[in-house]
Amino acid sequence: MKLTVVGCSGSFPSAESACSSYLVEADGFRLLLDMGNGALGELQRHCGLYDLDAIFLSHLHADHCIDMCAYFVARYYRHDGGRCNPLPVYGPEGTEHRLTTAYADTPSASSMSEVFDFHTVKPSTFDIGPFTVHTERVAHPVEAYGIRVEHGGKVLTYSGDTGVSPALDELARGADLFLCEAAFTHGKENIPDLHLNGREAGETAARTGARRLVLTHVPPWTDPQVNVVDAREVYDGPVHLAAPGQTYEI
Ligand SMILES: [Zn+2]
Ligand SMILES: [Zn+2]
């Protein structure tokens, strides 16, 4: 698998990065995990506008899904004639309704579904193209999922947004790459069931035997280097900081 960080800023975009969005590729198949603010623009640095094969939305906070409205426009009013075929979109209950109303207050009820084929995510194991994925509810104020993506004997785990959670531990167990949010700062914001800090991300990686930890979803007001140091204090494996355009072979 190849992972490309499209955007990694937490909660709102920074001057350097769009919000959460990660491109996962294998066997010529492109799966996008989340499409937060600004992600659609950045995505076009890494693949064509219509080259995605599926999208997974971890939850419906704007910093993870709002550019789906822009992507709807690109697919529905396609300029070279014709409308795009429905693209599989996996998201929590109510994804289609939320995106439809976010796009316009008087939307055509069916227009989103003309270009997106919505699937409701539950905690389960299923295939998306060549990937076997496992989803679990994680600890966040809204229905939110973490995802374990397996291909060719390798494992990528993406936390989505979550506090410390046994479900996240299950998803991250033995992962070759653990892409984990670290929105908070240890000692400053230890709020349960909302976000992780660097230390908690490191503890989760250590507990689950993840082989590599990539911290992401750090908001502009959080010092990312503090989170890296905090994670390294409790986790012996390599700790990276996600950056736009960064790629990883898994
Ligand atoms: Zn978020
Ligand atoms: Zn969130």
Side-chain angles (χ1 to χ4, degrees), residues 54-246:
I55 297 174
F56 170 84
L57 301 174
S58 65
H59 66 300
L60 298 178
H61 279 155
D63 59 317
H64 297 258
C65 72
I66 203 63
D67 265 27
M68 288 292 290
C69 293
Y71 196 38
F72 164 73
V73 174
R75 294 185 70 85
Y76 195 84
Y77 300 102
R78 185 168 174 158
H79 226 64
D80 54 6
R83 208 155 268 168
C84 289
N85 290 330
L87 180 73
V89 174
Y90 299 83
E93 185 84 50
T95 295
E96 180 178 1
H97 178 75
R98 175 70 70 83
L99 294 176
T100 299
T101 51
Y103 173 68
D105 55 5
T106 54
S108 150
S110 65
S111 49
M112 277 266 172
S113 60
E114 287 185 46
V115 293
F116 296 129
D117 179 19
F118 290 99
H119 300 262
T120 300
V121 171
K122 295 286 173 201
S124 63
T125 301
F126 53 99
D127 289 340
I128 302 178
F131 305 107
T132 298
V133 306
H134 180 61
T135 53
E136 287 287 347
R137 276 287 295 266
V138 288
H140 203 51
V142 300
E143 184 178 350
Y145 291 90
I147 186 168
R148 179 182 176 98
V149 182
E150 301 189 8
H151 179 271
K154 300 289 184 181
V155 176
L156 160 69
T157 297
Y158 169 48
S159 65
D161 281 8
T162 183
V164 175
S165 152
L168 180 62
D169 285 10
E170 188 182 321
L171 293 171
R173 197 151 315 280
D176 294 282
L177 191 148
F178 180 27
L179 180 62
C180 185
E181 76 121 287
F184 284 163
T185 306
H186 174 60
K188 201 162 115 190
E189 301 142 307
N190 290 69
I191 305 168
D193 302 334
L194 184 57
H195 290 297
L196 298 165
N197 57 46
R199 185 183 178 90
E200 290 167 330
E203 286 170 344
T204 304
R207 206 165 47 234
T208 59
R211 294 193 169 82
R212 194 159 37 149
L213 174 63
V214 179
L215 299 179
T216 192
H217 197 280
V218 180
W221 52 41
T222 295
D223 184 338
Q225 295 307 332
V226 169
N227 280 356
V228 170
V229 169
D230 287 348
R232 284 186 177 145
E233 268 189 20
V234 294
Y235 172 63
D236 288 339
V239 180
H240 308 266
L241 193 59
Q246 183 77 48

